[in-house]
Amino acid sequence: GNSVTQMEGPVTLSEEAFLTINCTYTATGYPSLFWYVQYPGEGLQLLLKATKADDKGSNKGFEATYRKETTSFHLEKGSVQVSDSAVYFCALKGNEKLTFGTGTRLTIIP
Amino acid sequence: EAGVAQSPRYKIIEKRQSVAFWCNPISGHATLYWYQQILGQGPKLLIQFQNNGVVDDSQLPKDRFSAERLKGVDSTLKIQPAKLEDSAVYLCASSLDVGPSFFGPGTRLTVL
């Protein structure tokens, strides 16, 4: 079946550092890929998405590129802020079923 | 556009009691999902509806959990009787046939 493997956390970075959170997947067919974010005390929010190979999703300075050859969808941001502290979930959607990774807790210190 | 609504936001019960959660999806979204998110883990799909029909309930513990989506809009998820290990956040999400899922704020259940 489909599965998502996500970089284990927690990850702690200083403000303005470069961020990468790794995500790889296993799926049949051509799934869509997503990053969701969960801020403290809040629900899951869609951060960005990509629906086909080589697509780049971007939002709020975050980017991720759908790499079919490496089955990856790594999340990156060039300069993180304290307000980016949250839990980040990589997910894929195949046959209308959304499968999540285990989440990566990110803490940004000033 | 209104988002996915859920109630209650918090619920505390004792083991062996019953509890029900309610979800109102985004208007026009045919697909509705219930997820269980245990602390420190990613959400796990419990059940998926397409309109008022069940598409996937393979991970729903059917001896104690039930869900319905009458009229293809609102949905309720019930646990009877609850166990300690059911303590989690229960998330409802909805989507169009294709595209991302949008999540409600969740119901945090504590079973004592």
Side-chain angles (χ1 to χ4, degrees), chain A residues 34 36 38 41-44 46 49 89 93 95-103, chain B residues 31 33 35 37 40-43 45 48 50 56 91 95 97 99-101 103-104:
Chain A
F34 306 91
Y36 282 84
Q38 192 169 34
E42 298 184 16
L44 279 164
L46 178 65
K49 65 176 181 177
F89 292 92
K93 193 170 191 179
N95 298 324
E96 300 179 27
K97 182 175 179 177
L98 191 61
T99 301
F100 285 89
T102 53
Chain B
T31 306
Y33 312 81
Y35 288 85
Q37 187 178 15
Q41 299 182 17
L45 179 67
Q48 176 184 341
Q50 181 75 15
D56 184 347
L91 298 166
S95 71
D97 286 347
S101 300
F103 284 80

Side-chain angles (χ1 to χ4, degrees), chain B residues 33-73:
Chain B
Y33 312 81
W34 283 103
Y35 288 85
Q36 180 192 59
Q37 187 178 15
I38 293 173
L39 186 66
Q41 299 182 17
K44 182 185 85 171
L45 179 67
L46 293 175
I47 189 167
Q48 176 184 341
F49 292 95
Q50 181 75 15
N51 295 307
N52 60 347
V54 176
V55 173
D56 184 347
D57 64 356
S58 56
Q59 297 195 84
L60 187 73
K62 298 180 186 64
D63 57 333
R64 299 185 300 106
F65 285 64
S66 64
E68 60 182 11
R69 192 184 184 195
L70 300 176
K71 302 181 181 178
V73 182

